[in-house]
Amino acid sequence: MCGIVGYVGSKAAAPLLIAGLKRLEYRGYDSAGVSLLNGGAQVQTRKAKGKIAMLEEAVGGSPVTGTTGIAHTRWATHGPPNECNAHPHHDCTDEIAVVHNGIIENYSTLRKRLIEKGHTFRSETDTEVLAHLIEEAFDGNLEDAVMDALRLVEGTYGIAVLSTRDPGKIVAARKGSPLLIGVGEGEYFVASDVAAILQYTREVIYLDDGEVAVVTTDGYSVCDLKARPVGKGISRIEWDLDQIEKGGYDHFMLKEIFEQPQTIENTMRGRLVVEEGYAKLGGLNITREELQNIDNMIITACGTSWHSGLIGELMIEEYARIRVETEYASEFRYRNPIVDPNTLCVVISQSGETADTLAAMREAKERGARTLGLVNVVGSTIAREDDGGVYLLAGPEIGVASTKAFTSQVVALALLMLTFARRRDMSASRGREIAQAMVKLPEQIQEILEDAPTIEIIAEQFKDATNFLYLGRGYNFPVALEGALKLKEISYIHAEGYPAAEMKHGPIALIDENMPVVFIAPHDSVFEKIVSNIQEVKARGGRSIVITSRDEPALEGLIDFEIRIPETLEMLYPILTVIPLQLLSYYIAAKRGLDVDQPRNLAKSVTVE
Ligand code: G6P
């Protein structure tokens, strides 16, 4: 997804900006660019298609100087990824440069109007209209021109703008796309993501929708689109830079898989009250009475977060006895859902910025539901707009394919379930049993991770497969979906997740010796049923990889590969069974020589519809 970095200070801006862009590489992008002011009449811009290294080459070949600059990584939405469509974009006279995240929805009307007025466009992007609108409105002061331009714009944006005609200044504005200001000593930054500037400062100001910031070497100011000043507090970032780096692993994804004993511990810490079998969730912002009145829940999310939502639904229905519907955010936002004041809408998002999820949350709110965000990124839009929330506390997740956020989401949902169930009819002893099992999970994940070499051997066997089937039942059906998604995302192997018993209604036709079938079959209440499905696969020559939790005579001679996991409660198995699946897809993708952390066509945070 697109990323923005800007710098105003006394240092050479280009190396700082490029270093900042590199920190944003994990977001996924297809081209990059940088613009600087050097006291001349024109903005100096360099762009390149592909990786930041290409941009560095372009800057090396034709250096840019100056202490004020903006930079961008682009993930194409309008116009293909190429140098011309890369940001920054200029006005007609190259005096203004704009970087933009988001989509200008009325760009074609604006573009037509600007062309009629004599403006010349050089790219196919929606962003370029902003540069020309600012040019039209410019009357000596950049922020006024930016505000005038933005009043004409429909859609979403996080922008940073500079101009040779009002030098030493960056104007930034936000609507629907994250943006923050970094406060240094005698220097200021603008960024779409804190990772870009963390090596320079930990003090940040998060902009809210409808706000415009002006940043110069003397300081910053924030106002609304009508130029009325807005007071903003400074937040301190506690994440360390080395938390954002690979920490000795070949890929971020592998590092993040191995972090899970720690990250789920962080999600539980200070919240799980084991002896009393309940959870203390400080951010719910809900009275006891309101909590009691909730009689239905909607869980909404996208991708991996949606899979955790499906597990949450099973837990909450089983133990809290509240009706739950889990829905793709992209579907929820465009239908006419039944929501009432006793509906709790649980919104799950690692990034807290996914456009569909955010829109679904706003829709639920609009219809009177109380919203609760399960979000990892602190200060993200969903986290700021929800009525209450539970931070996942999993630390930055950089690999595009989500791993540690997923397990933290399931843990957070278990905590939420305990909060609700214990206020209803769950006994303290049942609550305690669940809490005690949760406390063991970090160690149990560690045990599975120590078996990574076995999973790597299995990956070697199957790395050239072209199709995979993942089957699970009950709590492990969503894990089958997640296992298949992980494989698709990073190895580009076609994979499908199915409820195991549904196999006979279609997918069984696909089974032959070339179709590996992964069974998620821990020893739970549906284990016996799954054994029959394994037999059906065996009878058709299929090869099976079975994740199971104890020695089982029924499996003897039936399976090709076994991955053993420790035993836990039925509702907690997904937190364990997903780990081998994450490792399996990781090793298969790595063995295929693929870009595990930035798979093709995918983005970490999808801030467009
Ligand atoms: C993208 C990512 C997925 C992620 C989904 C939802 O598609 O590639 O890994 O699960 O967005 O993201 P969120 O940040 O809302 O959890």
Side-chain angles (χ1 to χ4, degrees):
M1 198 93 278
C2 303
I4 291 176
V5 200
Y7 175 79
V8 184
S10 54
K11 299 183 189 129
L16 289 171
L17 293 171
I18 288 174
L21 289 184
K22 283 185 178 165
R23 299 274 177 218
L24 298 181
E25 284 198 285
Y26 72 89
R27 294 169 63 91
Y29 67 102
D30 48 51
S31 53
V34 58
S35 288
L36 270 79
L37 299 179
N38 72 345
Q42 255 111 39
V43 173
Q44 312 168 82
T45 293
R46 304 288 179 269
K47 305 187 199 182
K49 185 181 170 202
K51 298 285 178 194
I52 310 287
M54 307 300 287
L55 177 66
E56 267 182 308
E57 245 175 62
V59 172
S62 171
V64 280
T65 54
T67 57
T68 305
I70 54 176
H72 190 260
T73 45
R74 174 173 188 253
W75 188 70
T77 57
H78 293 68
N82 57 32
E83 193 180 316
C84 174
N85 287 331
H87 300 205
H89 290 287
H90 290 190
D91 64 328
C92 295
T93 52
D94 298 326
E95 293 169 322
I96 294 165
V98 179
V99 291
H100 165 226
N101 292 353
I103 291 180
I104 307 298
E105 281 162 10
N106 59 340
Y107 88 102
S108 60
T109 322
L110 292 170
R111 185 179 165 114
K112 204 162 147 241
R113 214 181 293 158
L114 286 159
I115 289 171
E116 278 163 14
K117 285 191 173 177
H119 289 260
T120 309
F121 278 75
R122 287 173 272 187
S123 78
E124 297 157 82
T125 64
D126 52 332
T127 301
E128 197 182 344
V129 298
L130 289 171
H132 294 277
L133 285 174
I134 296 167
E135 179 182 17
E136 271 291 305
F138 195 89
D139 190 17
N141 174 295
L142 187 60
E143 56 270 34
D144 290 347
V146 169
M147 284 187 261
D148 283 349
L150 292 179
R151 281 185 212 110
L152 302 172
V153 156
E154 285 161 26
T156 55
Y157 53 78
I159 58 166
V161 188
L162 48 72
S163 172
T164 55
R165 292 164 73 188
D166 193 2
K169 178 188 280 182
I170 295 174
V171 178
R174 162 188 173 142
K175 184 183 166 206
S177 198
L179 211 58
L180 54 90
I181 300 168
V183 181
E185 282 185 22
E187 57 184 10
Y188 294 87
F189 301 83
V190 173
S192 55
D193 183 325
V194 75
I197 57 165
L198 199 58
Q199 69 220 88
Y200 310 116
T201 180
R202 291 183 168 275
E203 314 268 290
V204 304
I205 296 144
Y206 292 105
L207 293 185
D208 283 305
D209 280 355
E211 290 177 351
V212 179
V214 179
V215 182
T216 67
T217 43
D218 299 328
Y220 64 88
S221 60
V222 181
C223 64
D224 65 15
L225 276 177
K226 291 187 176 147
R228 292 177 297 214
V230 179
K232 302 290 288 183
I234 295 183
S235 311
R236 192 173 161 77
I237 303 298
E238 301 298 345
W239 286 357
D240 286 324
L241 204 55
D242 66 351
Q243 276 184 279
I244 304 181
E245 286 169 350
K246 281 188 202 150
Y249 290 93
D250 287 347
H251 296 95
F252 284 113
M253 181 181 176
L254 191 60
K255 171 179 170 253
E256 287 157 8
I257 291 172
F258 274 82
E259 275 172 9
Q260 290 175 104
Q262 189 59 53
T263 50
I264 66 156
E265 178 113 52
N266 291 347
T267 312
M268 288 188 272
R269 183 173 298 127
R271 293 165 164 173
L272 192 62
V273 187
V274 180
E275 278 321 301
E276 278 143 65
Y278 76 91
K280 266 192 315 200
L281 296 171
L284 295 186
N285 290 337
I286 189 168
T287 64
R288 221 185 156 79
E289 200 193 341
E290 285 166 334
L291 205 140
Q292 218 82 44
N293 288 340
I294 284 164
D295 60 12
N296 71 97
M297 282 191 194
I298 291 166
I299 299 180
T300 190
C302 301
T304 289
S305 300
W306 181 72
H307 295 154
S308 72
L310 294 173
I311 297 164
E313 170 178 334
L314 295 171
M315 287 179 189
I316 293 164
E317 289 206 337
E318 178 168 4
Y319 292 108
R321 307 305 292 159
I322 300 172
R323 205 177 298 279
V324 185
E325 207 176 317
T326 304
E327 188 152 352
Y328 283 119
S330 53
E331 291 297 314
F332 178 82
R333 63 184 290 196
Y334 286 118
R335 63 181 190 90
N336 191 8
I338 300 170
V339 172
D340 60 49
N342 295 333
T343 304
L344 179 69
C345 179
V346 178
V347 179
I348 309 176
S349 176
Q350 187 286 128
S351 62
E353 301 292 349
T354 302
D356 285 323
T357 311
L358 178 60
M361 181 177 85
R362 287 176 175 161
E363 179 65 28
K365 223 174 181 178
E366 187 68 30
R367 287 168 179 262
R370 170 174 283 277
T371 57
L372 183 80
L374 263 55
V375 170
N376 193 35
V377 178
V378 176
S380 58
T381 311
I382 291 174
R384 283 181 296 131
E385 288 192 16
D386 58 20
D387 296 318
V390 181
Y391 278 125
L392 303 178
L393 308 178
E397 190 180 66
I398 308 250
V400 166
S402 185
T403 52
K404 63 177 180 171
F406 175 80
T407 43
S408 282
Q409 286 164 352
V410 180
V411 167
L413 285 158
L415 295 174
L416 193 65
M417 177 282 285
L418 282 178
T419 308
F420 278 90
R422 289 284 284 113
R423 295 242 160 92
R424 286 158 198 253
D425 59 1
M426 181 187 274
S427 67
S429 64
R430 184 71 184 133
R432 197 177 310 123
E433 188 196 355
I434 293 173
Q436 281 165 345
M438 288 176 74
V439 170
K440 288 193 198 142
L441 290 168
E443 211 176 294
Q444 293 179 316
I445 293 182
Q446 191 58 45
E447 218 177 290
I448 301 169
L449 291 171
E450 276 156 26
D451 202 23
T454 308
I455 299 164
E456 194 172 356
I457 291 168
I458 299 174
E460 183 62 37
Q461 299 284 318
F462 291 100
K463 68 179 195 305
D464 299 317
T466 49
N467 291 290
F468 262 80
L469 194 57
Y470 286 73
L471 300 175
R473 294 185 80 154
Y475 280 98
N476 284 299
F477 162 52
V479 178
L481 296 177
E482 175 60 9
L485 179 65
K486 282 288 86 73
L487 192 71
K488 277 185 272 212
E489 282 178 313
I490 60 167
S491 73
Y492 318 143
I493 295 173
H494 169 247
E496 279 192 63
Y498 249 82
E502 274 292 302
M503 178 179 69
K504 57 185 172 293
H505 298 295
I508 199 162
L510 300 169
I511 308 253
D512 63 14
E513 65 285 1
N514 298 318
M515 170 69 102
V517 186
V518 180
F519 284 96
I520 302 128
H523 220 275
D524 60 11
S525 65
V526 287
F527 176 77
E528 308 295 338
K529 308 273 173 206
I530 284 228
V531 174
S532 318
N533 302 130
I534 300 173
Q535 269 157 346
E536 286 157 14
V537 167
K538 174 81 176 166
R540 285 156 185 84
R543 289 185 297 166
S544 59
I545 302 163
V546 180
I547 297 170
T548 188
S549 57
R550 65 166 94 134
D551 268 336
E552 188 50 62
L555 293 177
E556 248 165 60
L558 207 57
I559 62 183
D560 295 270
F561 293 94
E562 182 185 326
I563 300 170
R564 189 68 71 84
I565 58 154
E567 299 215 295
T568 185
L569 297 180
E570 184 148 349
M571 65 162 253
L572 298 176
Y573 267 124
I575 298 163
L576 301 182
T577 52
V578 77
I579 309 286
L581 301 185
Q582 295 170 344
L583 285 168
L584 184 67
S585 44
Y586 169 78
Y587 287 123
I588 288 178
K591 285 175 190 297
R592 286 163 76 102
L594 298 169
D595 190 348
V596 173
D597 286 329
Q598 289 170 47
R600 69 183 182 204
N601 306 337
L602 295 182
K604 181 71 187 154
S605 166
V606 182
T607 51
V608 294
E609 203 180 316

